[in-house]
Amino acid sequence: MKQERLDWLADNPFYTKRFAFHIGRRCRHSTIRDVAREHLLDWKTVKALEMQYMREQIKRAGQPRPKVIGVDEISIRKGQTYRIVVSDLDRRRAIWFGGKDRSEESMDAFFAFLGERRCKRLRLAVMG
């Protein structure tokens, strides 16, 4: 049995990468439910295609090299559960989301992700 790799197929073999890209772009401006209704697809299918689109966008963005960062916290659920979001303010995009809470240890995880060399490039940090 011979298997052939078709590079134009999405992760879901029923759809092309071009269609997955289209669905991902639509999800930027509409809810997953609305995009699923519009294209007569299952919600889970749209979610999977959107995730593939987002993974590709992250890959294309490359490694962050911020000079100015914004640090904020978002609530995950009721009961004082928070995560940290760090954004590159020059490029106006989020570059890191994580931590267990809003502690110094969680912020250290961001600096570990960024690496010593890129941390030295930082000139300004702003908290919201």
Side-chain angles (χ1 to χ4, degrees):
M1 175 184 219
K2 182 178 179 182
Q3 265 191 327
E4 188 174 349
R5 174 140 174 83
L6 303 173
D7 293 329
W8 47 270
L9 283 179
D11 290 345
N12 182 331
F14 296 112
Y15 304 101
T16 64
K17 286 183 180 179
R18 187 174 179 181
F19 183 70
F21 184 80
H22 169 73
I23 294 295
R25 297 270 310 176
R26 291 288 300 125
C27 287
R28 285 181 146 199
H29 306 288
S30 300
T31 64
I32 292 174
R33 184 173 60 186
D34 289 344
V35 173
R37 284 182 188 158
E38 177 184 335
H39 291 86
L40 304 175
L41 295 170
D42 183 56
W43 184 91
K44 290 178 183 177
T45 302
V46 173
K47 180 68 176 170
L49 292 173
E50 184 212 18
M51 287 176 62
Q52 180 181 351
Y53 171 80
M54 293 305 293
R55 278 193 298 271
E56 184 63 29
Q57 295 304 305
I58 290 169
K59 211 164 64 175
R60 287 180 182 184
Q63 290 292 327
R65 291 178 175 79
K67 291 182 182 174
V68 180
I69 60 171
V71 180
D72 205 355
E73 57 198 30
I74 61 171
S75 176
I76 298 297
R77 67 178 74 86
K78 292 179 182 177
Q80 308 292 325
T81 305
Y82 294 95
R83 296 293 183 267
I84 297 173
V85 178
V86 180
S87 300
D88 182 340
L89 296 181
D90 289 331
R91 292 188 176 174
R92 296 182 180 186
R93 66 180 180 103
I95 56 174
W96 189 80
F97 170 83
K100 297 177 288 184
D101 48 22
R102 51 186 176 179
S103 66
E104 187 177 337
E105 291 82 28
S106 292
M107 197 64 206
D108 287 342
F110 164 71
F111 291 117
F113 160 78
L114 201 57
E116 185 178 337
R117 228 169 122 205
R118 286 182 282 177
C119 283
K120 288 180 181 179
R121 291 180 45 125
L122 290 176
R123 296 293 168 241
L124 179 66
V126 181
M127 286 194 68

